[in-house]
Amino acid sequence: MHNAAFGALGLNWRYLAFEVEPKNLRTAIEGAKAMNFAGLNLTVPHKLLALEMMDELDESAKNWGAVNTIKFVQSPKTKVQSPEVRAIGFNTDADAIAKSLREDLKLELRGAKVLLLGAGGAGRTAALKLAAENVAELFLVNRTRAKAEEIANEIKNKFPSVKVSPGYPKNHVDLLLNATSLGLKTDDASPLDETQFSLSQTRAVYDMIYRPAETKLLAAAKKSGGKTANGLGMLLHQGAKAFEIWTGKSAPLEVMRRALAAVPSPASKVSFREH
Ligand code: ATR
């Protein structure tokens, strides 16, 4: 999607993927800086590690406690000093979640009741962003309950007006959001315990996984008549924001959306989700 966007704007830029071992992250960032890269995107497991490696953190990275986008900025050359390149860390994931929920599910987040599955990196960012968007009630479910409780406590401190509780809701919710990694593999169990919560109790289901495009959870939700969306919109919006940070130009959103849609579903078992 980035290369399509560069092409559409006539920019002679390239977006490339590099596989980097966590132990080499600092070296890789320094290398990219030395080679005058415009920036980087980072994904699992680098988003938390990179927090410590930035010269500066944008408010977004400070707010959400993770870096998924780096911009290299050259400070002006002075008479005594050669120009220095600084790495600035941003987070474009959190805003992308809210944008995609609004766009793809037509969901009004303010006042909504949400059941969130997962309390890893993606789950935490989603929970904090939903709280910041003034949802009325958040139910947090995670295999390791202590992690859901930790996030619940963080939200109670930062967003006291949001009612937050670990565990499944008794009644209806507006949204069920899967932020676990369950569903990435075709033989994964469902992230939802249907003995605790029925899909008929939610109006909409969002799965952060976008490949496979339809997880078992989404297929079941569709069958029970609810609105559904996968994580492609989140991928699009975090990328569009990163594009704007690097280039200073408005992202050609429809070009990027079309490029994403044109990626064929691989015959292999490759699976993805953002974050
Ligand atoms: P990310 O940063 O992508 O969110 P993560 O931090 O490893 O990745 O989080 C993965 C999430 O999927 C967690 O909520 C994890 O539950 P635990 O906190 O209990 O580990 C959840 N998850 C992964 N495999 C799971 C499984 N087999 N059953 C239930 N939950 C699972």
Side-chain angles (χ1 to χ4, degrees):
M1 72 176 149
H2 286 292
N3 288 326
F6 295 144
L9 268 62
L11 293 171
N12 186 18
W13 294 37
R14 293 292 181 274
Y15 189 95
L16 301 164
F18 301 92
E19 199 168 329
V20 176
E21 290 291 320
K23 68 174 182 346
N24 293 328
L25 181 61
R26 191 180 289 276
T27 315
I29 293 173
E30 287 307 312
K33 200 190 240 187
M35 289 191 288
N36 286 318
F37 278 33
L40 294 171
N41 270 146
L42 307 173
T43 191
V44 177
H46 300 311
K47 296 184 189 191
L48 295 180
L49 298 172
L51 278 172
E52 309 300 320
M53 301 176 187
M54 297 296 100
D55 298 310
E56 197 183 309
L57 288 175
D58 177 69
E59 280 307 306
S60 58
K62 282 188 206 160
N63 255 341
W64 312 113
V67 172
N68 79 321
T69 302
I70 300 175
K71 181 182 171 84
F72 295 114
V73 179
Q74 205 149 28
S75 60
K77 195 175 179 175
T78 65
K79 275 188 186 143
V80 283
Q81 276 179 324
S82 55
E84 189 203 341
V85 180
R86 296 170 55 73
I88 308 176
F90 296 78
N91 184 304
T92 69
D93 285 326
D95 288 355
I97 298 172
K99 255 194 184 152
S100 179
L101 289 173
R102 289 203 171 94
E103 196 173 275
D104 301 324
L105 293 174
K106 311 279 176 273
L107 201 79
E108 175 54 67
L109 293 176
R110 177 180 285 273
K113 290 182 183 169
V114 181
L115 165 57
L116 175 63
L117 309 177
R124 180 176 170 274
T125 303
L128 289 170
K129 180 63 184 173
L130 289 167
E133 292 285 336
N134 292 303
V135 296
E137 231 177 321
L138 255 181
F139 299 90
L140 303 179
V141 169
N142 195 46
R143 173 178 58 180
T144 314
R145 192 181 162 98
K147 280 162 74 180
E149 281 166 359
E150 204 176 300
I151 296 174
N153 286 334
E154 189 177 353
I155 289 175
K156 274 179 198 153
N157 287 331
K158 286 188 182 155
F159 306 97
S161 66
V162 176
K163 214 172 147 198
V164 54
S165 36
Y168 282 100
K170 299 251 177 300
N171 301 317
H172 284 75
V173 295
D174 300 293
L175 170 69
L176 169 103
L177 200 167
N178 178 37
T180 76
S181 48
L182 281 178
L184 282 170
K185 290 188 248 112
T186 41
D187 53 355
D188 274 346
S190 170
L192 177 69
D193 180 353
E194 292 198 57
T195 66
Q196 300 285 329
F197 184 87
S198 150
L199 282 167
S200 61
Q201 286 173 260
T202 184
R203 285 171 45 206
V205 176
Y206 188 97
D207 200 325
M208 281 198 189
I209 295 168
Y210 56 86
R211 188 169 291 173
E214 188 172 270
T215 56
K216 281 181 194 154
L217 175 70
L218 286 187
K222 243 184 213 170
K223 239 185 183 170
S224 82
K227 271 191 187 171
T228 59
N230 68 20
L232 211 61
M234 185 183 161
L235 175 70
L236 169 71
H237 287 296
Q238 64 77 32
K241 182 68 190 171
F243 182 97
E244 293 179 351
I245 289 168
W246 296 321
T247 64
K249 296 178 192 299
S250 291
L253 210 56
E254 291 319 309
V255 169
M256 296 177 86
R257 198 192 299 275
R258 275 201 300 279
L260 277 181
V263 177
S265 257
S268 67
K269 296 273 178 280
V270 187
S271 47
F272 295 101
R273 72 179 176 137
E274 198 31 51
H275 211 98

